[in-house]
């Protein structure tokens, strides 16, 4: 199955310092940390390729030369580098800098420190099929916190019966976490500063009722620390034997 034409481009956020993954990230970028014999970056890029995404823009900063050498071996999706060696721009600024490489249609944005074990239905095609540009500015993949691996926070969002997301209030608990994948319109970046967090766009879309979510089918693996690697590998092994 191939992605609809509107989603043949994706952005992989791979420029961060990976401080929580130290000491592993003292000598490599976090996206090149290996889980179950494959790098985090390749786990995400494999899923994008399987969903028909043809071009993935990857931003680089920390150990950028390593990232470029590793990605040069990939043929699908086609890799285009967005160079942030001059300075980190945060998640939103990184995407804004890469907009000329991403085209004018809505595109996919992925974090590089999480992926998932597929359930009965593959998640990216389901997410693409759920996109409704008349009702949505952003569509997120969200994962139930109760069944996620490597995530121990109080959750990020509530999901209503219409698929709209509402951010967790202070001191509250929410049943869903942002699973590190979203669809977004490029127009949202107009007028934004050169460096900013994507959370600003999330909150603006929510205020307009245009931030939507789709529940992940399967098991989300959040790999943000060295300890989370063991937990993810153990879950992959259990799923393989099932």
């Amino acid at each position: 199955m191939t992605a609809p034409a509107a989603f043949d481009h994706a952005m992989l956020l791979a420029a961060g310092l990976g401080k929580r993954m130290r000491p592993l990230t003292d000598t490599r970028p976090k996206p090149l940390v290996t889980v179950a014999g494959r790098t985090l970056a390749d786990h995400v890029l494999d899923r994008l390729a399987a969903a028909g995404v043809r071009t993935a823009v990857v931003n680089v900063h920390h150990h950028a030369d390593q990232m470029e050498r590793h990605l040069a071996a990939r043929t699908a999706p086609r890799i285009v580098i967005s160079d942030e060696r001059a300075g980190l721009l945060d998640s939103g600024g990184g995407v804004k800098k890469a907009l000329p490489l991403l085209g004018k249609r809505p595109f996919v944005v992925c974090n590089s420190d999480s992926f998932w074990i597929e359930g009965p239905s593959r998640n990216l095609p389901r997410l693409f099929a759920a996109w409704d540009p008349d009702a949505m500015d952003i569509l997120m993949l969200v994962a139930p916190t109760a069944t996620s691996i490597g995530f121990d926070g109080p959750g990020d969002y509530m999901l209503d019966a219409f698929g709209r997301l509402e951010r967790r209030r202070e001191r509250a608990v929410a049943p869903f976490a942002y699973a590190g994948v979203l669809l977004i319109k490029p127009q949202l970046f107009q007028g934004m500063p050169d460096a900013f967090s994507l959370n600003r766009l999330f909150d603006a879309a929510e205020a307009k009722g245009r931030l939507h979510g789709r529940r992940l089918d399967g098991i989300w693996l959040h790999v943000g620390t060295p300890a989370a690697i063991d937990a993810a590998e153990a879950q992959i092994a259990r799923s393989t034997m099932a």
Side-chain angles (χ1 to χ4, degrees), residues 3-156:
F7 300 109
D8 59 4
H9 280 67
M11 173 100 191
L12 179 65
L13 298 172
L17 300 177
K19 293 180 180 178
R20 295 178 64 233
M21 190 62 84
R22 287 175 175 166
L24 297 179
T25 48
D26 290 340
T27 57
R28 78 194 84 170
K30 183 165 69 170
L32 295 190
V33 169
T34 300
V35 177
R38 198 136 181 84
T39 69
L40 288 169
D42 286 317
H43 278 296
V44 179
L45 292 167
D46 289 348
R47 284 155 180 75
L48 290 171
V53 173
R54 297 180 183 136
T55 299
V57 179
V58 183
N59 61 345
V60 297
H61 173 82
H62 185 54
H63 295 295
D65 292 347
Q66 286 188 42
M67 278 297 299
E68 288 188 309
R69 285 195 299 270
H70 179 83
L71 294 171
R74 288 200 69 103
T75 57
R78 179 177 72 98
I79 302 297
V80 179
I81 298 296
S82 179
D83 195 331
E84 292 183 24
R85 285 177 174 87
L88 286 169
L89 301 172
D90 208 339
S91 55
V95 178
K96 180 184 175 183
K97 182 179 187 297
L99 284 179
L101 306 172
L102 289 163
K104 297 181 179 180
R105 296 182 298 195
F107 53 86
V108 190
V109 178
C110 299
N111 292 348
S112 58
D113 61 357
S114 67
F115 59 103
W116 57 90
I117 299 168
E118 299 281 16
S121 301
R122 290 193 298 141
N123 284 284
L124 288 179
R126 288 176 61 249
L127 194 70
F128 298 164
W131 175 252
D132 179 359
D134 292 333
M136 306 169 182
D137 286 337
I138 300 171
L139 175 61
M140 288 182 175
L141 188 65
V142 294
T145 58
T147 56
S148 296
I149 303 298
F151 182 85
D152 57 3
D156 299 319

Side-chain angles (χ1 to χ4, degrees), residues 131-185:
W131 175 252
D132 179 359
D134 292 333
M136 306 169 182
D137 286 337
I138 300 171
L139 175 61
M140 288 182 175
L141 188 65
V142 294
T145 58
T147 56
S148 296
I149 303 298
F151 182 85
D152 57 3
D156 299 319
Y157 287 102
M158 309 292 291
L159 180 66
D160 73 14
F162 301 99
R164 292 186 297 256
L165 292 173
E166 180 182 353
R167 191 182 288 275
R168 175 184 62 84
R169 299 185 185 280
E170 188 175 0
R171 296 190 180 89
V173 174
F176 291 99
Y178 168 47
V181 181
L182 60 82
L183 311 179
I184 192 167
K185 294 177 176 177

